[in-house]
Amino acid sequence: MHDDANKGPENTELDTSRHFLRQWIEADLAAGKNDGTVVTRFPPEPNGWIHIGHAKAVWVDFGMAALFHGRCHLRMDDTNPSKESEDFVEQLKRDIEWLGYKWDAFFYACDRFEEMWAIAEELIRRGQAYVCELSQEEWKAYRGVPTEPGRPSPWRDRPAEESLALFRRMRAGEIPEGTCCLRAKIDMASPNIHFRDPVIYRIVDLPHYRTGTAWHCYPMYDFAHPIEDALEGVTHSMCTLEFEVHRPLYDWVIDRLAEQGRLVVRDGKTIRPQQREFARLNLTYTVMSKRLLRQLVEEGHVDGWDDPRMPTVAGMRRRGYTPAAIRDLCERTGVSKYKSLTDLALLEWCVRDDLNRVATRRMAVLNPVKLVIDNLPEGAELVAHAPNNPEDPAAGSRELRFTRELWVDRDDFMEVPSKKFHRLTPGNEVRLRGACLFTCTHLVKDASGAVTEIHGTYDPEAVGGNPADGRKVRGTIHWVSAKYAKTAEARLYDRLFTLEDPMSAPSGNFLDALNPESMKTVTAYVEPALLEAKPGEPYQFERVGYFTPDVHASRPGAPVFNRTVTLKDSFKK
């Protein structure tokens, strides 16, 4: 994170021209709060795979802890048993570690269910919570609208003993789901709907992936979250902007914990967690909702959570994106309280910028047409040289066998060239990358008129591609030897949706914005060395794009290459 020298005003939330979260923490440290420590947390629910939006939150939570030499906890907020699993927990851990972060402590929310239960019972005893028997539909009428006060539930003044008895029956599974819940007794006239006697426990008659059938009712996230922060000694709780309206409830729970004497005390100072909110990362041509991502997976529109077209961290890893590129995107988009939409092209630029430094260069032809050098005798071979990475001299160079017949990319040829086309055309001289200068003299076509072979001659005085007389040659194309080339499957991934905002599809169904050409499969001719490529290794197919072997489809000696990103933004808007 950038080092801003200037500190913000006392209310750092009013100044979003700089990193307001950093200003907030700096102000707390200057005031001597929380015994001078900073403890943050990243609390995902293990009901799916984290995506690029979560990666921004990871960057904030772990990054701010590191910046102030503090600690960051990883917590599984597993208070809803319906879709949670240990498999998701392990995937979350893998993704966070791959992003480059390590947590200082690990927690499950469910390990604190007994403590949360005891806190809820104490709220009932103190007259701060009650068991309500209104249905969800009935409650909507009582809750009212923000511009008018709500009406109190008929059960709001229920005696504590009666609520306690019902609450214990809820836990024992004696009361059917949906017939009652535990509500915090707060303020039915609040303009903030979330403050009008919110539900803090509800019956969910499903087994939990860790606690089994021990519980039949579970705490709501808005109740569990501040309790966990408090019991862990978290000092700065950072959430995305949709939780801003929930902050008064967060503070209300923290106040009740203080009354019950449950806040952590360190070195004689009470640790009181505070919550602040920042704008989430949103990308064009992408959906971020876990519900929508799950729909894509379950309905078979993509090949699982780690499909390379998915915005999940695992999908991006499989596609060949790098942790450094994702962190760079987070840095460039910064932290603010303003909702915004980041162009996916910026993420792709960050990926190219990182891969340009680290990717090994190889040549591959994805749309082949044969090129024949008529003045190179049959069986003759020349040696060409090419750098493994021009950005890294230590990577050295490689030898390529240059033969009479080569494969070149059909996209590098035009029989009738456009005005600015300087590659292969009849009569035009081009540079064969690292090998020689070649001039097209004639073509061979099939019965339909399609070009099947490009014939011509090379300049023996310009082996290596540099003419002795210094003449300028504008076009350079890549190639592979027809004799030595190997074949490999290449999957050409593009953006999953055709609309910047898939939710704006005219039909109202985001699935109608799916890009039917988001993946194409081709058979490529590649340098022989590419058959030894390992899954996850980054390669630049020269003049084509960045690729990496797929972790699932690749086999030893038979890699299947995923296109990570093209060399430049070629998406037609």
Side-chain angles (χ1 to χ4, degrees), residues 5 16 69 78 81 122 152 159 222 237 307 359 367 405 416 459 478 556 559:
T16 59
H69 309 290
D78 49 0
E122 184 61 23
D222 280 348
S237 185
D307 186 296
N367 185 16
E405 294 186 349
V416 181
D459 181 355
H478 62 287

Side-chain angles (χ1 to χ4, degrees), residues 181-462:
C181 62
L182 184 69
R183 294 188 180 279
K185 185 189 292 187
I186 307 181
D187 182 2
M188 290 301 296
S190 173
N192 184 341
I193 289 289
H194 299 282
F195 219 46
R196 295 185 181 180
D197 289 14
V199 176
I200 57 176
Y201 265 88
R202 81 289 198 200
I203 300 171
V204 181
D205 207 6
L206 291 172
H208 190 277
Y209 75 105
R210 294 193 75 238
T211 62
T213 57
W215 296 85
H216 297 273
C217 63
Y218 297 87
M220 298 294 290
Y221 176 82
D222 280 348
F223 183 64
H225 175 216
I227 292 175
E228 295 162 76
D229 283 354
L231 297 181
E232 291 174 23
V234 168
T235 59
H236 298 85
S237 185
M238 292 166 283
C239 309
T240 45
L241 208 55
E242 64 266 28
F243 290 100
E244 187 170 36
V245 292
H246 299 249
R247 196 202 300 178
L249 178 54
Y250 181 97
D251 291 338
W252 183 88
V253 174
I254 295 297
D255 287 341
R256 304 294 80 76
L257 294 174
E259 291 172 357
Q260 295 184 24
R262 295 180 182 271
L263 297 182
V264 170
V265 177
R266 281 200 297 259
D267 295 334
K269 289 194 174 182
T270 300
I271 307 302
R272 181 186 174 87
Q274 302 173 80
Q275 177 178 301
R276 293 293 183 272
E277 306 80 21
F278 59 94
R280 66 190 304 167
L281 176 65
N282 293 302
L283 288 177
T284 56
Y285 302 101
T286 310
V287 294
M288 296 288 201
S289 162
K290 273 189 184 178
R291 177 180 61 83
L292 300 182
L293 294 178
R294 184 179 292 109
Q295 184 178 350
L296 288 171
V297 172
E298 293 178 351
E299 293 182 2
H301 302 290
V302 294
D303 181 25
W305 285 95
D306 66 343
D307 186 296
R309 295 165 292 181
M310 289 279 274
T312 56
V313 170
M316 291 181 170
R317 176 169 66 247
R318 182 179 171 189
R319 184 161 172 167
Y321 286 21
T322 63
I326 294 173
R327 295 194 300 267
D328 187 25
L329 175 74
C330 295
E331 182 80 33
R332 290 177 183 277
T333 53
V335 179
S336 77
K337 292 186 76 71
Y338 298 116
K339 293 181 180 179
S340 61
L341 189 62
T342 298
D343 196 327
L344 182 60
L346 177 59
L347 172 59
E348 292 171 343
W349 186 93
C350 293
V351 172
R352 292 187 193 99
D353 187 55
D354 188 47
L355 289 178
N356 183 53
R357 291 189 291 268
V358 302
T360 300
R361 271 51 168 183
R362 293 288 184 262
M363 287 197 281
V365 176
L366 274 57
N367 185 16
V369 63
K370 185 164 285 187
L371 181 146
V372 182
I373 304 173
D374 292 324
N375 62 334
L376 189 64
E378 292 279 0
E381 294 185 5
L382 300 175
V383 176
H385 292 87
N388 289 321
N389 186 339
E391 301 294 319
D392 179 14
S397 62
R398 67 196 188 278
E399 285 190 354
L400 300 171
R401 308 308 293 181
F402 180 69
T403 55
R404 175 182 170 87
E405 294 186 349
L406 309 174
W407 292 112
V408 296
D409 200 301
R410 192 176 293 273
D411 293 339
D412 281 331
F413 171 79
M414 289 185 75
E415 185 174 3
V416 181
S418 58
K419 185 176 181 180
K420 295 185 178 181
F421 189 83
H422 302 294
R423 286 164 281 167
L424 268 174
T425 63
N428 188 42
E429 187 175 47
V430 298
R431 180 179 288 103
L432 298 180
R433 176 89 166 94
C436 68
L437 300 183
F438 173 86
T439 302
C440 173
T441 59
H442 64 283
L443 308 172
V444 175
K445 301 181 180 181
D446 62 16
S448 70
V451 174
T452 58
E453 290 184 359
I454 300 168
H455 284 251
T457 59
Y458 85 106
D459 181 355
E461 301 300 319

Side-chain angles (χ1 to χ4, degrees), residues 7-13 20-40 64 68 234-238 247 269-276:
K7 293 183 179 179
E10 184 175 345
N11 186 352
T12 56
E13 290 185 273
F20 75 97
L21 293 176
R22 173 174 177 166
Q23 295 170 255
W24 167 49
I25 296 175
E26 284 176 336
D28 281 355
L29 292 176
K33 291 183 179 179
N34 303 313
D35 78 336
T37 63
V38 173
V39 180
T40 65
M64 295 303 287
F68 292 100
V234 168
T235 59
H236 298 85
S237 185
M238 292 166 283
R247 196 202 300 178
K269 289 194 174 182
T270 300
I271 307 302
R272 181 186 174 87
Q274 302 173 80
Q275 177 178 301
R276 293 293 183 272

